[in-house]
Amino acid sequence: MSHELTTGPLWTGDYYNEGSGKEGLDKLKEECGVFGVFRHPDAASLSYYGLHALQHRGEESAGMCVSDGSQFNYHRGMGLVKEVFTKDLMQTLTGDISIGHVRYSTSGDSKLTNAQPLVFKYRDGDLAVATNGNIVNAPTIRRELEQSGSIFQTTSDTEVIAHLIARSSKGLVEAAKEAFQRIVGGYAFLIMTNDKLLVASDPHGLRPLTMGKLGDAYLFASETCALETIGAELIRDIEPGELLVLDADGLHEDRFDHHKHRKALCAMEYIYFARPDSDMNGTNQHAARKRMGSRMAIESFVDADLVTGVPDSSISAAIGYAEQTGIPYEMGMIKNKYTGRTFIQPSQELREQGVKMKLSAVRRVVEGKRVVMIDDSIVRGTTSRRIVNMLRDAGATEVHVRITSPPFKNPCFYGIDTPDSRELIASQLSVEEICREINADSLEFLSPDGLIASIQGDNQDDPKGGLCLACFDHDYPTRLDFGGEEKFGCSC
Ligand code: SF4
């Protein structure tokens, strides 16, 4: 028996700015952030502050769905959390269970219809779904569902899980287990009905998801910084393959996957994505990045007058490099924090004339100096070349680039928006060639062993340290062969 889903008008407002980061910079894009609340009378306000703390994971849209036990109150919109949720609107989001989402979209796909949570009507009431990650075999499942009559409302893969649940003849929890057993990928899911919350992490734990408590209420967040923001106590990370069910009887710890897979939390969370004040697997991000910088100094020391880090994500590593070498850390670059969302971006011509909206070199600091520039990754190489040239234009006599990750050679299938390998400079050129391409005096990357040791310390039980390193070593933790229909990037 099939149970079709229906969607109503799920959002209001039409505000949309093209996000920054699209004016030719080639950083990897953060994926999405999720935040869930179970049984707190002010679920919407907690979600607002939680999502605000997760804003760095997605700036294009934000959404929240709250249940008062009998009906959903929800809103989604394009823009930042503070733009999407006005004071008046927040007063309409009453209830004590909620799921929320912030999102970056993949290119060409920044549509409001894909903003989350997605909300559906199904046979047992209302269903809302929010996810962070990517379902690799979504195209295959979607085609099968469409051939058997399902009508999709969005291009988001998140809808696949809703259809799988809706078409099952089993109850919600068993239907969700079946659905998770069917999908392959890296994901953290929050699924809400009028009186239940389901929380799941993929069998390898690729995407981060953590649980906290505030009084008797349970909280779930992509990063611990969101729990910290609202004063919640951190309980633990959600385990790979785990399915938590929260209902009137409280928390039930269950699993949808009983096989033993290797744990593979995304290494890029530690290198770049997560906020420095977040902890994952018990490791603080700032501390891990400092160790990466320190290890980088041991692996590839270069004599220089100062160390500087590309703000903001590489500052911790630059401090680590400086501490290890004794070369002073200086603020050689400044990031303009107010370029986040703007209607006006400089034209190519103005950019070539030197209009810099995001990043500036501090001439008085770098002029006449030999500079070690720490960055977290090189994707296409265009940003690195621009930054090196910017430091040279400001008077740096030498620029030595140190990257606190191994060469990024392979696309991500688990929720990070990456170009395909032909556009990844490290898959096309040698380190020496990249060095010339970005106009640096020297270039070195952190070794895989150095990266693992920096994140996991002395825990050498697993040679990969419980991490996914596939974009560096091509060892993808899941199968990817779905008849050429597999999908990479981000589907949240
Ligand atoms: S392939 Fe790279 S970016 Fe993707 S989950 Fe693995 S480590 Fe993270």
Side-chain angles (χ1 to χ4, degrees):
M1 180 164 65
S2 86
H3 303 277
E4 273 310 325
L5 300 170
T6 58
T7 56
L10 302 178
W11 59 90
T12 58
D14 58 1
Y15 176 63
Y16 176 57
N17 283 334
E18 191 71 21
S20 70
K22 294 194 169 181
E23 76 271 35
L25 295 187
D26 66 338
K27 297 302 288 182
L28 298 170
K29 277 208 228 151
E30 292 91 339
E31 341 75 69
C32 301
V34 294
F35 191 85
V37 180
F38 187 78
R39 294 278 184 245
H40 191 285
D42 209 359
S45 295
L46 291 182
S47 298
Y48 178 93
Y49 293 115
L51 292 174
H52 192 260
L54 298 173
Q55 188 76 81
H56 60 288
R57 300 183 71 87
E59 295 181 4
E60 291 204 346
S61 69
M64 191 192 305
C65 179
V66 188
S67 173
D68 63 9
S70 58
Q71 68 169 31
F72 280 179
N73 302 300
Y74 50 82
H75 179 73
R76 309 179 306 168
M78 303 305 287
L80 301 173
V81 173
K82 67 179 181 185
E83 296 165 343
V84 170
F85 296 104
T86 60
K87 193 174 165 196
D88 288 347
L89 187 88
M90 287 298 293
Q91 286 169 356
T92 68
L93 298 174
T94 52
D96 64 355
I97 310 174
S98 110
I99 61 174
H101 193 260
V102 287
R103 177 175 190 260
Y104 260 116
S105 62
T106 49
S107 51
D109 195 25
S110 44
K111 290 192 300 191
L112 189 51
T113 42
N114 285 339
Q116 294 189 29
L118 297 179
V119 181
F120 307 93
K121 292 259 177 231
Y122 91 127
R123 65 182 185 280
D124 292 336
D126 299 316
L127 188 76
V129 186
T131 186
N132 166 210
N134 187 46
I135 302 171
V136 183
N137 60 341
T140 309
I141 300 175
R142 193 182 176 104
R143 184 171 43 83
E144 286 171 18
L145 288 168
E146 283 173 341
Q147 281 170 356
S148 58
S150 291
I151 298 167
F152 280 76
Q153 312 286 330
T154 72
T155 57
S156 168
D157 292 348
T158 307
E159 201 179 341
V160 164
I161 204 94
H163 279 273
L164 287 173
I165 290 172
R167 292 173 71 90
S168 171
S169 55
K170 298 187 173 160
L172 175 73
V173 174
E174 289 309 310
K177 281 187 190 175
E178 273 184 0
F180 287 124
Q181 285 157 4
R182 183 78 215 283
I183 63 174
V184 175
Y187 52 81
F189 263 99
L190 298 180
I191 298 174
M192 189 177 98
T193 63
N194 298 98
D195 57 1
K196 286 190 182 65
L197 179 63
L198 272 55
V199 179
S201 174
D202 72 77
H204 298 273
L206 278 146
R207 301 263 64 91
L209 188 59
T210 192
M211 171 166 66
K213 273 199 97 174
L214 185 65
D216 292 332
Y218 285 94
L219 291 312
F220 299 91
S222 295
E223 289 184 39
T224 58
C225 65
L227 301 178
E228 188 75 29
T229 292
I230 57 170
E233 174 198 0
L234 170 64
I235 303 296
R236 65 176 176 86
D237 293 337
I238 309 307
E239 291 296 318
E242 198 169 23
L243 176 68
L244 301 181
V245 180
L246 296 105
D247 60 19
D249 299 325
L251 170 70
H252 309 273
E253 296 173 334
D254 201 348
R255 300 188 61 79
F256 66 89
D257 183 284
H258 295 277
H259 297 100
K260 185 143 179 62
H261 304 279
R262 76 172 169 94
K263 187 166 164 98
L265 176 58
C266 172
M268 286 305 296
E269 293 282 352
Y270 291 94
I271 295 163
Y272 169 50
F273 295 130
R275 245 173 62 164
D277 55 336
S278 285
D279 295 348
M280 281 178 196
N281 258 343
T283 298
N284 170 256
Q285 301 292 348
H286 166 71
R289 286 172 196 164
K290 263 185 84 176
R291 288 194 293 269
M292 288 173 210
S294 170
R295 177 76 181 226
M296 187 90 237
I298 294 165
E299 290 186 4
S300 52
F301 172 79
V302 59
D303 198 14
D305 301 311
L306 65 91
V307 181
T308 192
V310 178
D312 293 319
S313 56
S314 299
I315 290 175
S316 304
I319 293 170
Y321 192 99
E323 281 183 8
Q324 183 68 41
T325 57
I327 301 171
Y329 168 78
E330 294 286 357
M331 201 176 284
M333 283 172 275
I334 293 287
K335 185 175 173 185
N336 185 341
K337 295 198 184 331
Y338 301 99
T339 60
R341 307 186 67 77
T342 171
F343 286 107
I344 303 168
Q345 299 287 350
S347 63
Q348 182 63 27
E349 192 185 353
L350 277 177
R351 251 182 270 147
E352 282 164 11
Q353 286 169 16
V355 172
K356 302 173 191 77
M357 286 195 67
K358 278 196 139 180
L359 207 58
S360 304
V362 184
R363 180 174 293 276
R364 302 247 179 206
V365 171
V366 303
E367 196 161 32
K369 298 287 180 9
R370 296 168 298 161
V371 175
V372 179
M373 182 198 108
I374 308 286
D375 203 356
D376 47 67
S377 53
I378 297 183
V379 183
R380 292 186 173 93
T382 50
T383 303
S384 305
R385 185 171 60 244
R386 201 174 295 165
I387 297 173
V388 170
N389 287 339
M390 185 179 75
L391 289 166
R392 290 192 191 284
D393 290 347
T397 54
E398 294 175 20
V399 181
H400 301 275
V401 177
R402 296 292 180 269
I403 302 296
T404 54
S405 62
F408 196 107
K409 293 183 174 177
N410 311 298
C412 179
F413 290 85
Y414 307 122
I416 308 299
D417 193 15
T418 47
D420 76 31
S421 348
R422 284 164 305 184
E423 294 182 61
L424 293 169
I425 194 168
S427 83
Q428 304 296 321
L429 302 180
S430 67
V431 173
E432 294 72 29
E433 288 168 331
I434 299 170
C435 182
R436 279 199 295 279
E437 190 68 23
I438 65 171
N439 197 25
D441 289 281
S442 72
L443 168 68
E444 299 288 347
F445 292 85
L446 185 61
S447 68
D449 285 350
L451 176 66
I452 294 165
S454 302
I455 296 171
Q456 291 301 337
D458 294 329
N459 177 5
Q460 295 300 330
D461 295 347
D462 171 1
K464 286 190 191 272
L467 299 166
C468 174
L469 301 163
C471 46
F472 312 120
D473 65 7
H474 202 273
D475 184 10
Y476 292 97
T478 69
R479 51 182 289 242
L480 298 174
D481 52 327
F482 297 99
E485 287 198 281
E486 60 275 6
K487 185 174 159 298
F488 70 90
C490 166
S491 59
C492 46

